[in-house]
Every structure is written in C-alpha cells, then in structure tokens.
Amino acid sequence: MTRFTADNTTLAQEIVGRYPRPKSALIPLLHLAQEQDGYVTEDAMEHIAELVGVTPAEVLGTASFYEMLKREPVGDYVVNVCTNISCMLNGGEELLHHLENRLKIKAGSTTADGKFTLEDVECIAACTEAPCLQVNYRYFHRITHDQADELLDDLRAGKRAHDVPRHGTLSRVRQQIDPERRAGVAPPDVNVEPPWLARNEQATEASS
Amino acid sequence: MTDATDATSGEREIPRIVTSRWDLADGFTLERYSESGGYSSLRKALDEMTPAQVAEEVKTASLLGRGGAGFPCGVKWGFCPPGVFPRYLVVNGDESEPGTYKDRILMERDPHQLIEGVLIACYAIGVSQAFLYVRGEMALAQERLAQALNDAYDAGYIGKNILDSDFSVDIVLHWGAGAYIVGEETALIESLEGERGMPRLKPPYFPAAKGLYLQPTVVNNVETLANLPWIVANGGSAFADLGDGNSRGTRLFAVSGHVRNPGVFEVEFGTTTFRDIIYGERYADGIRDGNRIKAYIPGGASAPWFFEEHLDLPLEAGAVGAAGSMLGSGAIVVMDETTDAVKAAWRVVRFFARESCGKCTPCREGTAWLEKILRRLLDGHGRPSDVNKLLDICDNISPAITWPPRQTTICPLGPSAVSPIASALVRFRDEFFAYCGGEVEITVPIAGKAYIPSPTPTVGATP
Amino acid sequence: MTDTAAPPTVTVTVTIDGRTIEAAKGELVIAAAERNGIYIPRFCYHPRMTPVGMCRMCLVEIDTGRGPALQPSCMIECGDGMSVATESEATRKAQEGVLEFLLANHPLDCPVCDKGGECPLQDQTMSYGPGESRFVEEKRHYEKPIFISELVLLDRERCILCDRCTRFADEVAGDPLIHFMDRGSQTQVNTFPDHPFASYFSGNTVQICPVGALTATPYRFKARPWDLEQVESTCTSCSVGCRVVVQSSRNRVLRYLGVDVDAVNWGWMCDKGRFDFEAVNSEERLGAPLVRDAGLLLKPATWNVALGRAASAIRTGLDRSGPDGFAVLGGSRLTNESAYAWTKLAKGVIGSDHVDAQLGDGLPAEAVLGLPRATIDDACRPGGAVLLIGPDPKEELPVLYLRLRHAVRNAGVKVVELASIHTSATDELAAESLRYRPGHALSVVRALLAGDDGAGRPPTSGAGKEPAAVGGVLAEQIAAATALLADRPLTVIVGRANLAESGRSIAAAAAAVHHARPEARFLSALRRGNVHGALELGMSPGLLPGRVTLDSGRDWFAERWPTLPAGRGLDAAGILRAAADGKIDTLVLLGADPLADFPDRDLAERGLAGARTVISVDQFLTESVKQADVVLPAAGYAEVDGTTTNLEGRVSTVSRKVTPPGTAQADWMIAVDVAARLGSDLGLESHGRIGAEIAAVAPAFAGLTHDVLVSPDGRDGVVVALPARRGNGAGPGVEATAVAGVGEPGGHAPTNVSTGDTGADAASGAAADPDLVAAEDPGTTGDGEGEGDDGDAAEPAAGADEGTAEPEPGVALPVWTIIDPPSVDAYSLRLVVTRKLYDRGTLVRSSPALADLAEPATLRLNPHDFDQLGVAPGDDVRVTSNRGNVTVPTVPEAAVPRGIAHLYFNLAGGRANVLIDGNAPVTDVRVERP
Ligand SMILES: Cc1cc2nc3c(=O)[nH]c(=O)nc-3n(C[C@H](O)[C@H](O)[C@H](O)COP(=O)(O)O)c2cc1C
Ligand code: SF4
Ligand code: FES
C-alpha cells in the first residue's frame, strides 16, 4: 500500500497542470500509480484524491469503471487473449483454453507463483491478425499454440524484458512539454478568441 | 502482417491518402515524415489560407467521419457556436468496436500525419487546446505518439507560435483505461473529465455546443483527421473527385474472419463493392478453404449482418443504410458456412453486455439478460419460449427492431446488442430452434430491412 | 439545473394526451404534465436535482414535428407545438419493459423490506408493470446490507441505480462520499473503504431512495408504513424550521420526513433534525416532578407538591425582594404559545423583567428584532450577495447551508464570509473569505463598506513593509470583497460564530452595514429552535410580546395584563451575576442548561449556586437541572400543538402526535398552574386560546390566527413583519433607524429613537455617518458589567403618546460601543470557540444513533504553532485562561490560522466554556504541557 514516491508526486503534479480542470488527470494518475506499484492501491487512490481535489470515493468510482485499472495485485505478466468475434472465428477460444491448460488456471486468475494473470478479453483492435493476444498490452499477432508456449517460456525466463515491460508500464516514452514551447491550458471559463481567427475578418476586409 | 495495398478502381489509379507511409519501416519518425512531405500542409495552411478557407476545403471534400456515425466533418465543425471560446478538439483514438483495426495502425505507423491533421483542424476551428485520447490498451501507439509529439514540439510544429505564426495550440496526449463505451463521443468527454465513461444525453447538448467542460468541442476520429494533410495539399475537390454518393475519398476497411487474406485496405470509398473487397485478389481474396460465405458484418459488431445477397452493394454509406445496416467503423467480419450462428450472436452480445456502461436500465439489465439466455441456449438448456423472449427483450431495448435503430436508451450501445440477435435469429432460425428444443412461431414484429430475407437477392447472385 | 428562483418567462403550448396545456419554456415535460394532473412514472427524476435521464421509466412518445419518438420526459423541455403521448401503445410497452428490466435483478423481498407499502418500485409495478417476470436466470447477489455510515445501511441487491442518493450527496450536500462503482450490470453504489458516508445530510438519501436499498438505523424494521400515523409539523432542532412529517406508531415517534416547502427546506432535513426523534422516546425523559428533599436529594413528587414548593418559593422571594428577585433563563425550546404564557407570568403577573431566552451565546435582542429581516429566499435570490458574519451554517443551520450552497452554484449568489477560522462556508460558499482576528469584526466591516483600509487609505497602499491590513485581513482582500458586495442586493447573515468573541461586536458590525446599506436585509443566524419566537414574544429584557419594547408597549399591555415590570431587567449574564451576588431568590430554568450552554461556565456555576431556589422546567435531568430544587417535567417536541418561529420570522405550526411521558405537561400549562398557585389566572386554557390572545394583544402578530396557518397559503408558514416588503410608508429616515414591524401607513411610525446619553443623535445621524454608530468609547466596555448593560446604552422609546392605541411593532437599534481589543501577547493565543452539529447537547446525547457521532474535544492549532509552543501534535496540553483551564489533546489543523487556539463548544473531554470570559470582548489562552 503506497502513495506516490516523491518523484512521482512531482510528475503527477506536472500532469495535473496540463489540464484545464484537475480531475481530468485522474486516469493518467491512476496509470501512474499502477506503473509504480503494479496495481492501484487504496493509498494511491487517496493520494490521487488529494492531488486532484476530489474524494477517494470519486477516484474509486472512476477507477472501477475501467478494466485496465487493477485494484488487486496481478501477475508480472497479464496475458489478454482476445475471444471476440474475429478471433473467435479464428481460434481465439481454443488459444485461451490452451493457455488455461498450460498455466493451470482459469481465465481471470493468477498463477500461484504470481507470474501470469490470464484474461479472456474483448476485441483488442487486431482483428485481421487473429488469433491474437497481448502481454502487458504488447501485441502478439496470428499466434499459434506453439508460439504461445514459447512466449510464456521466454517471459518466464526473463528474455522479453526489451519489449514487454512489467505490468503497469504502458508508454515507455512520456510526453514532455517544454515550458518554453507550451501554449498553455485553455481555461473553460475565459472566453478569448484565438488570435489567428482574426485572419478570417482580415481576409474578408481585404477582399471587400 | 497487414498491408495496405495500392488500390485501383477500374482504370483509375487511386492515391494512397492515409496509408502512404505504412510500408516504411521508419514512417513514424519525424525525419521520414518530413522527407516525405510531412508538415507541408500545415505550412501551407498557415502561410496561404485563412482558417475559414481550410474549413471550406474540408467541406468541399465531403469528408465523412470515419469513427462510426459517418457525419460530414466540415459540417460538424460549423456547429461550434460563434464567439464562444475556448473550443476544444478531442481526437477519438479509442478504437474498440469489434472487427475494427485501422486507427491503431495509423497511430503506430504514421503518428505525425495524425498530428498534422490535428493541427490543421485546430487552426481551422480555432481550438487552443487539443486532447489526443488513445485507447488504453494500445501501448505502442502511445509510445509512438508520445515520441512524435515530443519531436514535433521541439521542431516548433506544436505549442506556442507554431512555425513563428500567431497560431498556438497544445496537444495533450491522454489515454484511457479499458472501456469500449468511452469511444462514444460524450462518454469520451466524460472520461477526459476524469469521470466514469457514461454517455451524456443528447439533446440537450451536443458536444459542438457544450462538450468538454461544457465548452464547444469537436470530437473527430483518428482516420478522419489523418485525411486532412492530403486534403489541404491537394484540395477538397480532388478528394471529392474520388468515391461516389455521400462517400468520397478513400477509406480504410479491415476485413477479418474467415477470409484468406485478412487485412486493412485503403479503397476508393463509395465505389468498391463488398464482393470486391471480400473476394478481390488484392484484398481479402475470398473465403478460406473454399467455403461458402454465411454472413458478414459490414461495419463493426453493432451493425446488422449482411448476407450473400448484399455482396454487390458498394461500400457507400447511403446504399448500405438503405439496405438496413451501416458501414460504421469500416470493419467487415466474414463468417463462413461452418459458423454457429447462435454462438456468433452470443459472442457479440456478450461484448455489449460486458461493455454497457450501466447508465440506462434497458441496456444494463437487457444486454446482460440477453447474454444469459443465449449462454443458456448454448449450454443446452434452451426452451422454445426463449425465441420470442429474446426478440421481445430486443424490442424493449430497440422498439420495432428496425434500422436505423430506435432506442429506449441514451446511446446506441444497448440497441447494438439487438443487431446480432435479430440478424442471426431471423436468418438462421432453425439453428435457434435446434438449441431451443422446438420450432416456434416468431410473434415479435421485426422491421429492420437487413434482418428480413429478400425474396430475391438484392443484387447479383452467389459467387 | 433545478433553479426554482428563475421566474418562468416565455409560455409555450404543449399537447399532452390530447389536452392542450401551457408550460413555461424550459419546463420539463414530466413536471408540466404533473402540474396538469398527468403523472408520468419515474425513478431517477427528482425535482430538486439535475435530471440524468437514466432509469428510462419516464419514456413517453414526444413529437416535435418529426414524428413521435420515445424520449425521457424528465430530460426534455417543453417546446411550442410539442405533442406528448403518455398512454400510447409504444409508451406503455417501453414502461413495461423498463419495469421488467428493473425487477429482473430485484430481490422482491418486499415482505421484509422497510419500504414495502411505500415503495415507488412496488407501486409503479402495480400501475405500469408487466403481469409477471420472464426472468428465470440467476439474480445478481451482493452481501446483504452494508453500513455505509453509522446511520445508513445499503442493500445493493435492492438498488435500482437511479443515481438519486449519489446525486444528492454530490450535488446537494457536497459530500460525494457514496458513488457508483464498477460498470454495466455490475454497477453498484458504495463508499471508499474506511471513508464512510459521513454527511450531515445522509438521511435524505434514505428518504429519496425509490426502493428499500437505503435504510436508516433508527427506523429499520421498526414499523410497516401502513401502521404509521402522521402529522405535519415544523422541525425545531434548529431555527431554520424545516417542514416535516412526524410519523408514529403505537404512541411512539418513529420517523420524521422532510416536506418540500419552496420557501424553506425543499424537502431536505439534516440528520440531527431527522434522527433526534429518538430523544422524544428516550428512557431518560422526565415523567414526574422532582423535589429536593431535606436530605438534599431530588426525589419524585406529585405535581401538587412540586407546584406548591415552586409557588411558595416564588412567594417567599417576592416577599423578600419583590419582583426583582425573580428571573427566568431560557425559553427558546418552547412553542410561541408557551413562550407567551411564560412572559405573561414573569412580566405580567410577577412583574419581573429578568427574562432571557438566550444564554449569552446569541446576539443582543435589539439587533435580532431591530434589523430589517431577510427571508431565506432573499439570501438566495439570483445575482444577490450575502455577507456572512456568523456561524458556519453547515454546523449550526444545516439546511440553510444547503439552500445557500444551491444559490451559490446555480443562482450566481456571491458570499463574502467573515470568519476567524476556515469553515465549510469557506470551502463551499464563499467567493471571498476574510480571516479576521477575533474582536475586529466591526473594523473589518467598516473597511469593507468604505472600500478602504478603515483609515481612509486606499486598500492597496501598503504602509511601509507590512501590506495594508485591517483586523488581520489584507487590504486587497477587502477590496475584492467590497467589489463583490457592491451593486448586488445584499443579505447579511449575522450570528455568533465565535462564542469567545462578544456578541455586541457582531451586532455593531451588522448595524454598521445597516447604516451604510439601508436596503440590506438581515437573516439572524441564532441557532436554537424557537429563539426567534421567544424573543418576539418578549422573552428578553426590555421587550414585550409582539416586537414592542417595555416602554412603547407599556400603556397597551397595562390594560391587558395584571402588572408590568417597573423597568428594564437583566439579560442572562446579568441574571447569573445577580444570582451569584445573592440577589436572585427564584431562578426558573426554562429548558435551559446554563452549565453546558452559557459561554462562561464559572459564572453559570456561581449563578446557579447563588440563587436561593432554582426551579427547572425541563425534559431531561441535565447537569443544570440536577442543581434545581424543584423540577417540573415538560412535554416536548411532537407532544404539543402550537406554533414556532424560524430565523426568517416565519411562523408555522408544530403538532402533537404522541402523549408526553408520565405526567409531563406542556410548558404553557405549567405557567398556568404556577400562576394559579400564586393566585393569578393567566386566562390561558389551550394553545388555541393562547394563539388567539397573541393575535389580539401582540402587535406584530395582529391577525395571525390559527386559521391563517392552516389555510393553503399559510401551511408553509407565514413570515411576520417585514417592513420593507409591506411598504409600511415609513420614510427613509425611519428605515435608517431600523424599525422592524408591520406598521400601517398613517399610524404613528416610531420616528426617533433615544439611545441614551450619546445615542439620540448618533442613531438618527447614523445613516449618514456609520462611524458614529461605532463611536469608540473605551469607557463602557471595560466596566466589568459586560453585556448586561447594553440596555442602559439603549433605551428604546417609540413614543407611544396615544395612550392605549396599539403600539407600532418596532425595536430600535441601539449604539454598541466597540473598541478593537489589544493584540494578543507573545505567550498567548486568541481563543476561537465554534459549534459542531453533533455535540454534548441534550438532543444529540439522548438520541442513541447520534450520540456517538459527537467527537471528543481537541485543541486545534495551526501546524506552524506547534514548535513555538513546544508541543507535538496529539500531545495533551493544558489550556488556561483567566477563567479556568482544560486539558485536551492537540490536533494540527491548517484551517486554523496562526496565533489562534480553536476549540469546539460542548464536546466531551474539554469544555470550552470553562475558558471563556463573558465580560471581555475576546479571550486569550496559554497553551502548555500539563
Ligand atoms: C458505442 C459507441 C462506440 C464508439 N466507439 C468509437 C471509437 O472507438 N472510435 C471512434 O472514433 N468513434 C467511436 N464512436 C463514434 C463517436 O461517438 C463519434 O461519432 C466519432 O468519434 C466522431 O468522429 P468522426 O465524426 O470523425 O467519425 C462510437 C460510438 C458509439 C455509439
Ligand atoms: S445505452 Fe448502454 S452504454 Fe449507452 S448510455 Fe445507456 S447504459 Fe450506457
Ligand atoms: S425519471 Fe426520466 S429517466 Fe428516470
């Protein structure tokens, strides 16, 4: 159970500052918490509530709506097998059952060693690449049962660290907005016409 | 791996408007993008065009939204009430409609094209802050976009006084956390406000009038915006010269399921037919194992299914709508004769039941109930009464089971669950009867045109 | 947004079920239909909250010219030419469908559900539902009821996710501690772990839940709706006076429900008001008189014996010292009728003016009655401004807080708060919150009115290095607040925020606003239930019933009452001081507990000890009652009929629903009996008779009869005497002297006012020069007599020169002489004492569900003050003033400014009133390790 580290608190505050209203930063901060701890702890939600100025219940209300935000510890590798229509037509269910047998767990649970969590998920936008799966949200397209076995072995052996970071890490590249280059937030309650729209009138005047 | 293919339509060579860099290994870098003409449209707009002129070109292009609803982009921009600022642009990169796979490739392989499109839109509409909402599960797209944004900021394409002009805008990269409904534009806005992604009722407010923070907000799909650099470079009329009917330019279609060559194809919009794209050699290349086609979903899981008789319909929004379905998000899912229609319907319904936001009673309770009944059927516990019960529940979610759907709900998600059931149940009723243990008379009236088998095939014959 | 304040402007014509009706443009279809007798079923819609359109029960076919379509009537506004079908086939099918969906997962445990019998889901299923459910699948399961707070339980299986409770918590109460969680068919309402729904308003969610998902611990399983009897009444737990329904079964009060009254509570109640009905049923209630026996123990006695003891004590006292030996403390718990009876007994039979319904924790009565009154609606009027110089409304007047919160959020009302600590008003209401140093309210208000720093300098000119400031408030802030208040209709909410700061300085600040902004209206934020009624009926020195002074009403009342006091008497502090000096023979405590409630406990102790005989009329054996020699048990709330007056001056009915415990009697009956024992007939036989006598003799109440109060126009209460509204013909000069009353044009409007030595001119000239009102006169504050001598400085005389003509109601505003207190010395902190909703007060203590909600006392200090004091957070410290000391744990609290020691009043484990010096304008304390 952890709050944000000092570094992450600074980062969180920077993220909050990108939005016209602090609450908009809720999901990014929940991801940051998950990146820090592997899942979203209660303490992190309370910390986020303080950072964006809402109640913890509101944070949980938002967090619990979204599937990716785990509120219990999950495996190091979350394996999401798509069984939606395109994948189902191409063996997605069989792939899932194969992995259930391999990992000796039912979809929705975590292996005893805490390595793998297996999930039966909805369409992950790789329909032409069926059957497909994701590990920690990294794609594996048109995957055979053998390839899946190999993948699990590699993951277990730590051979995929370069392309499959630990659970919680999404983008390994962060957006960085140089304060010098920043246009700044557009506060919703300040009604100012953007300067370049004046070009429209100037053009009309010029042409008339 | 998926590949976009140069498309020809008849004799004409069709330009690759949004897929031109898909074959390049480094098409996502700023260097490659600039070398291949990138950001010249932004420059052109800033140097040579007023915001109104840019908007006018987009109108001329008759660019239909590529997110699903297919609303004309230029017209939508025009709905922002005059004199009310700030205006926001929210890019809908939440692609989650089953069968749909195109926005992710656009973001992964050509992020700068999207960014340039966003900038052009912001310039035209008068947006001073834009949000790029990417689906949470798309880590690579997020990485590529983050890098592209950082590079473009550094190069002076985004931020304060872009290219030393009076045009300034921030683009904030934001991503979701796993909820299909967030693709619906008002739910997207709620989510961007840090809320649960539950759609807002429209009316009273449409996003263009009161969207993000109740300010005028344009929500556009990734593919929609990716067309803008080409439109500015080549002019709206060059775009409108392609295609037919309401449907102009080119469009991406993902063809998946039981086809030999599944893939994402950029084709001329409005002229290419379903037969072309499903059976054409340069496209999906026909049904696997030489099987017969049983049914196909023409526009994402929400769409009523099409059958053989619809194969010669063009991929044109008006024609497909008239036949009782939609092109939706450009997702064609093909099912061959080996497909269990009840199972396929169940799988799509399960999706909607799982993804209902829970706001409306009929959607929350109805989709879950439909899914339970279908699951019970598949588990061998069907009853004859289930057939009309399923349809009557559908009718309570989407009265008259018609197309375009009526709804007792706020958004179209609930009614979407009706499409697969009505499609499968009417057309493959014997399969349902088999699961239900008996033949029954269907007493619930069904009005949707695609659901009702035509006495004579609409166009053409079975291949 | 529900904005009831906005007047309907454009009218449109709509056809509903073939009937053509007129509706205000913007009116929701569901509301317009209901107004015309067409009920559209609904669950999520609630007229006092933003519509969300999510239950879909209210779907009807609406045709706006493009053909009929099913639309939620709770979201669609009436438009001209619109046609609505609420009974069409499509509508019926949709409604049946929605009900079937709602019931699919509903447990149908109606026989064991509290809501059974009064359940909208049950009722609408009967009227609009399908015959039977076709749902054969497994229902959703949740752990049966879970506590979401100490008061409220949630059964998620029954919940239909209408968003009423959650919307209420967020939008109305501002406590979004319950929320939707999870998604789709798994959606549930819940709290964050270990963050319960601790809202002062949680009970409202139980009332508005359309199923039995939310239940309240005090009512759960107590009754079935069909066993309940009910009567409409007014809550008197505080002076907002929410209209309520009192429900009982088998002679026990079981529940209060809020009634939606436009002018007051909109259907809401606070939890204290809602759940303190348990006190009515308390085992601790006094059911028989008690008399102190020879062995000095209080023993039960018959009424005969007790009344005899009381009367003989009074008679002996009168023989010894005359009427001046008799005093009455308290009375704000009483109905108006009982207050009148006791005033008549004390002032009109015994002839003593030592009567005070306030216990030194309020404001000078002349301020309450003398400032032109506002209504709650005035304070909430769109575009208005509110100057809050009073308590945190959330803690003391909770439903006023809800109304203000709504006005701030939806009607553009701007609130400027003057407070010495950060309050919930700072967070939720104030556009500008001025953190002034205790004792400096008047200076800050004067600066605020002048728009400068009080010394005539423009607010931005900082003299020297220190930024310009007044009473601790930066000049820029004052300027910002001044700008907010200018050009807006102004309501001043005035009361005692800090019990360690003298009420006179607050009254003076209010008077300064009145003189500078004569059009401003004032809402008195005195907290006790019927304190305003008690004052209006003369329960304060120098006053007689009906908002007249002893002098202006003397001739009139002389013809109606047996006797009258010779001159102005003492207020609560004066009475206690006189008692301590052995000058009071008989002290009557009328539902008063001065040991707990009087800010200066030392004085209260000495006063009770010094009075020869203490007679207590009360419902409970409080600490003070235990000191009494004779205890007469009083009937309480829901046990008596009558009327009560809220802080607006609104008179509304209270009703009897159950019988009092044992032989307890209505307070007015006790007055009648005591009078009889003294050989006098009060002539009061029933509450109705008393009401009629009030209407006949008390000037401000002329014509306010029972019939008016039960008429359709009067059912929500009648506001008495708003001179500005009635247009009483009084010229601006009269306005400036702050005469409140319903004077008739042509009557002798009280024109000038004598305010003692310096006052006459000051008051009449005050409109022109507010500074004169607050003329600094160090002489009168330091004389040790405290507030008791306010009256000397203010001898209001409304020139009743026409003999027995009915006097004009009106109380003149005296001049209060205030000087800024010296700054606190380097070793001390200035004391701030405020109230919490849940404290050790009798009602809370006697209501088991509420009693545990009162927190223990702590000393709240700014985190930065700890080091200097050499104490650590959580340490026990000794807090010492010149009156006494308490030992309490410390808590760091950023809401408390530096240099301030903050305590809540009347909490267990550290009584703040031990510290307060009632004589001084402020109290300073030292904080040390014990
Ligand atoms: C249930 C539902 C899901 C949707 N999902 C998406 C989506 O994932 N991506 C998208 O661009 N539009 C989606 N839409 C459509 C959007 O509401 C909106 O019409 C679109 O983003 C507008 O952009 P366009 O005009 O450029 O197409 C969805 C709509 C609904 C009703
Ligand atoms: S139809 Fe379903 S997904 Fe759409 S708003 Fe209603 S409950 Fe949510
Ligand atoms: S009452 Fe209108 S949708 Fe619930």
Side-chain angles (χ1 to χ4, degrees), chain A residues 15 18-19 24-25 27-28 31 170-177, chain B residues 89 91 93 107 111 114-115 129-135 138-150 153 158 170-176 192 222:
Chain A
I15 292 171
R18 289 180 192 170
Y19 296 91
S24 282
I27 293 176
H31 276 305
L170 279 171
S171 182
R172 286 161 303 181
V173 182
R174 286 193 205 286
Q175 181 177 17
Q176 251 127 22
I177 308 183
Chain B
L89 175 75
V91 184
M107 294 187 282
L114 171 61
I115 292 169
Q129 197 172 11
F131 298 89
L132 228 167
Y133 193 118
V134 182
R135 181 169 172 188
M138 298 179 175
L140 182 60
Q142 291 153 19
E143 285 177 356
R144 293 267 165 91
L145 276 166
Q147 190 60 53
L149 286 167
N150 289 348
Y153 263 101
I158 320 178
D170 269 342
I171 301 177
V172 176
L173 180 60
H174 186 99
W175 55 79
L192 188 49
V222 165

Side-chain angles (χ1 to χ4, degrees), chain A residues 188-202:
Chain A
D189 42 8
V190 182
N191 189 354
V192 185
E193 182 176 295
W196 65 93
L197 286 190
R199 296 180 182 201
N200 287 335
E201 285 93 72
Q202 285 154 12

Side-chain angles (χ1 to χ4, degrees), chain A residues 18-19 24 31 61-62 66-68 83 86 93 120 123 125 129 138 172 175-176 181 184 186 196 199, chain B residues 2 46 88 104 123 135 143 150 158 160 166 170-171 173-174 176-177 192 194 196 213 256 343 347:
Chain A
R18 289 180 192 170
Y19 296 91
S24 282
H31 276 305
T62 295
Y66 299 93
E67 227 132 274
M68 293 172 70
T83 59
S86 302
E93 288 190 328
D120 166 7
C123 177
E129 313 307 310
R138 269 60 192 177
R172 286 161 303 181
Q175 181 177 17
Q176 251 127 22
R181 288 282 323 130
W196 65 93
R199 296 180 182 201
Chain B
T2 302
L46 290 181
Y88 299 109
R104 175 160 78 91
Y123 175 72
R135 181 169 172 188
E143 285 177 356
N150 289 348
I158 320 178
K160 206 162 39 188
D166 54 357
D170 269 342
I171 301 177
L173 180 60
H174 186 99
L192 188 49
R196 302 159 58 77
Y213 315 122
S256 64
K343 176 120 189 256
R347 189 58 190 80

Side-chain angles (χ1 to χ4, degrees), chain C residues 34-289:
Chain C
E34 188 165 8
R35 221 171 19 76
N36 286 278
I38 299 168
Y39 184 84
I40 300 174
R42 79 286 301 262
F43 292 109
C44 64
Y45 171 71
H46 187 284
R48 296 293 183 188
M49 299 194 287
T50 312
V52 286
M54 59 190 283
C55 77
R56 318 302 289 174
M57 189 63 210
C58 71
L59 288 172
V60 291
E61 277 194 301
I62 297 182
D63 188 347
T64 52
R66 275 171 288 156
L70 285 168
Q71 295 280 355
S73 55
C74 71
M75 294 290 289
I76 305 293
E77 298 178 351
C78 290
D80 216 17
M82 180 182 265
S83 158
V84 179
T86 75
E87 290 177 329
S88 67
E89 181 53 28
T91 301
R92 194 199 51 77
K93 177 87 169 39
Q95 291 174 348
E96 262 188 24
V98 169
L99 269 171
E100 188 183 31
F101 287 138
L102 285 174
L103 293 173
N105 276 297
H106 194 75
L108 297 175
D109 55 350
C110 311
V112 296
C113 176
D114 267 352
K115 206 79 174 190
E118 55 174 13
C119 174
L121 181 59
Q122 210 175 32
D123 297 347
Q124 300 193 29
T125 303
M126 299 298 175
S127 315
Y128 306 93
E132 57 189 82
S133 173
R134 297 172 292 175
F135 190 84
V136 296
E137 327 300 323
E138 170 90 359
K139 293 195 188 234
R140 213 160 31 228
H141 288 299
Y142 288 112
E143 183 189 336
K144 269 305 202 184
I146 51 171
F147 278 90
I148 54 170
S149 77
E150 309 229 11
L151 294 169
V152 181
L153 290 109
L154 167 64
D155 181 331
R156 290 164 294 173
E157 291 183 349
R158 292 180 187 156
C159 171
I160 58 164
L161 302 170
C162 68
D163 197 24
R164 281 185 169 201
C165 59
T166 38
R167 233 180 320 157
F168 173 86
D170 181 24
E171 172 175 319
V172 180
D175 299 318
L177 298 165
I178 44 172
H179 206 282
F180 280 148
M181 308 281 175
D182 302 323
R183 189 176 74 204
S185 61
Q186 301 302 309
T187 309
Q188 54 167 313
V189 171
N190 214 328
T191 58
F192 192 83
D194 302 325
H195 286 247
F197 180 37
S199 167
Y200 287 166
F201 305 100
S202 67
N204 292 296
T205 62
V206 176
Q207 183 173 337
I208 61 180
C209 176
V211 294
L214 292 167
T215 45
T217 45
Y219 176 72
R220 227 171 124 69
F221 301 136
K222 291 271 163 60
R224 309 305 321 232
W226 48 85
D227 293 332
L228 292 173
E229 300 162 18
Q230 67 177 45
V231 66
E232 209 170 302
S233 190
T234 304
C235 176
T236 57
S237 296
C238 81
S239 65
V240 174
C242 297
R243 280 300 276 180
V244 298
V245 159
V246 176
Q247 296 182 324
S248 70
S249 173
R250 273 165 273 136
N251 203 32
R252 272 176 86 80
V253 176
L254 290 183
R255 183 165 71 168
Y256 300 154
L257 295 174
V259 172
D260 192 334
V261 168
D262 273 338
V264 186
N265 57 314
W266 291 9
W268 312 133
M269 295 181 74
C270 71
D271 285 358
K272 180 175 169 185
R274 185 182 297 272
F275 297 123
D276 68 13
F277 73 84
E278 291 187 319
V280 176
N281 303 327
S282 168
E283 293 298 313
E284 312 279 299
R285 283 286 301 277
L286 292 168

Side-chain angles (χ1 to χ4, degrees), chain B residues 19 134 219 242 252 270 281 310 419 429 439:
Chain B
T19 61
V134 182
V219 179
L242 300 162
L252 293 175
E281 255 176 51
H310 302 98
S419 305
R429 62 182 75 190
E439 206 162 306

Side-chain angles (χ1 to χ4, degrees), chain B residues 64-73 76 90-97 100 102-103 135 180-186 188 199 202 219-225 302 329 352 411-414 416:
Chain B
L64 295 190
R66 304 295 200 235
F71 196 80
C73 180
K76 175 147 78 182
V90 181
V91 184
N92 192 340
D94 196 55
E95 184 171 62
S96 327
E97 175 84 14
T100 314
K102 62 187 179 75
D103 297 339
R135 181 169 172 188
Y180 160 72
I181 187 58
V182 163
E184 194 282 332
E185 56 185 2
T186 58
L188 189 73
K202 318 178 273 191
V219 179
N220 269 138
N221 168 261
V222 165
E223 184 190 344
T224 312
L225 294 167
S302 310
S329 51
F352 292 114
C411 89
L413 186 148
S416 294

